[in-house]
Amino acid sequence: MSDSDRSGGVVVIGLGRFGGQVAESLTELGHEVLGIDENAEIVQKLADVLTHVVHADSTDEEALRQIGVAEFNRAVVGIGTDIEASVLTVLALTELGVEEIWAKAISAKHGRILERVGARHVVYPEADMGERVAHLVTGQLLDFIELDDGYAIAKVCPPEETIGQTLTQLGLRSKHGITVVAVKRAGREAETALPDTVIEHGDTLIVSGPTKKVERIGDRGGFPR
């Protein structure tokens, strides 16, 4: 994995049900992923699924440094039941200078501890499924929920080139199969989007459409072209 891949990639530590889903979803979305787990059997199982997967003790800061974790900007800690390992892993990542750390918590108290040792984002798997977290970790979508019928809803900041245009002018539905459902303006409630709604700076758009098309908004950091 090159230095550029690492800076734009994601480290996923703890490849159980939750972490494994995050890692696989990120890989399917085209992101470089370095998976780490202390269980050799899990590492072996995912060797053909993930591009890079390593057997290592994630609480050992020096071991993580040797793997090259310090070169990554983002990490997801999927360790849950072993609270001590979870906390020590987040602390090790913080010491290595990883800026954006997402960590799984199994309770509110666990979550508070993770925040205090350096986790920027705490997720609770009961409410945050791995695929949804994978989209949010990339930083392009503000929120993402996939529905059972192959459709998805997401929140996204409008690209700069759309500012000042109406939804009719953008033609997102006819061109890309994406519908702007509502527009949320700073300090105001979300309002139903109309054909003559003009996109303004600071808006948040709630969009819907086929899952793959909504995912492309996140992949490209804007509306599909």
Side-chain angles (χ1 to χ4, degrees), residues 154-210:
K155 290 182 181 178
V156 61
C157 291
E160 185 65 30
E161 63 269 19
T162 67
I163 303 301
Q165 295 190 57
T166 66
L167 294 181
T168 295
Q169 290 173 322
L170 291 175
L172 296 176
R173 180 184 292 180
S174 60
K175 294 177 182 177
H176 310 295
I178 296 170
T179 300
V180 177
V181 179
V183 178
K184 173 74 169 65
R185 301 219 154 109
R188 296 166 58 180
E189 296 292 329
E191 299 178 355
T192 301
L194 301 173
D196 60 354
T197 296
V198 178
I199 305 300
E200 300 178 0
H201 283 288
D203 283 352
T204 297
L205 307 183
I206 294 85
V207 304
S208 67

Side-chain angles (χ1 to χ4, degrees), residues 65-82:
R65 189 187 304 277
Q66 291 179 6
I67 295 170
V69 171
E71 298 171 35
F72 287 80
N73 296 325
R74 297 171 293 185
V76 177
V77 179
I79 303 169
T81 53
D82 189 339

Side-chain angles (χ1 to χ4, degrees), residues 1 34 52 78 90 93 95 98 108 115 121 134 140 169 171 178 188 191 200 202-203 205:
M1 187 184 293
L34 170 60
H52 312 280
V90 170
L93 291 170
E95 292 296 322
V98 178
E115 289 175 340
H121 314 273
Q140 303 296 344
Q169 290 173 322
I178 296 170
R188 296 166 58 180
E191 299 178 355
E200 300 178 0
D203 283 352
L205 307 183

Side-chain angles (χ1 to χ4, degrees), residues 24 26 29 40 58-59 61 66 68 71 86 89 102 105 107 126 135 142 147 155 165 173 176 191-192 211 213 215 225:
E24 289 186 43
L26 285 168
L29 289 169
S58 62
T59 67
E61 181 182 334
Q66 291 179 6
E71 298 171 35
S86 167
T89 296
W102 297 69
S107 68
E126 294 78 7
H135 285 84
L142 303 178
L147 307 177
K155 290 182 181 178
Q165 295 190 57
R173 180 184 292 180
H176 310 295
E191 299 178 355
T192 301
T211 300
K213 293 184 178 181
E215 285 178 342
R225 292 177 173 79

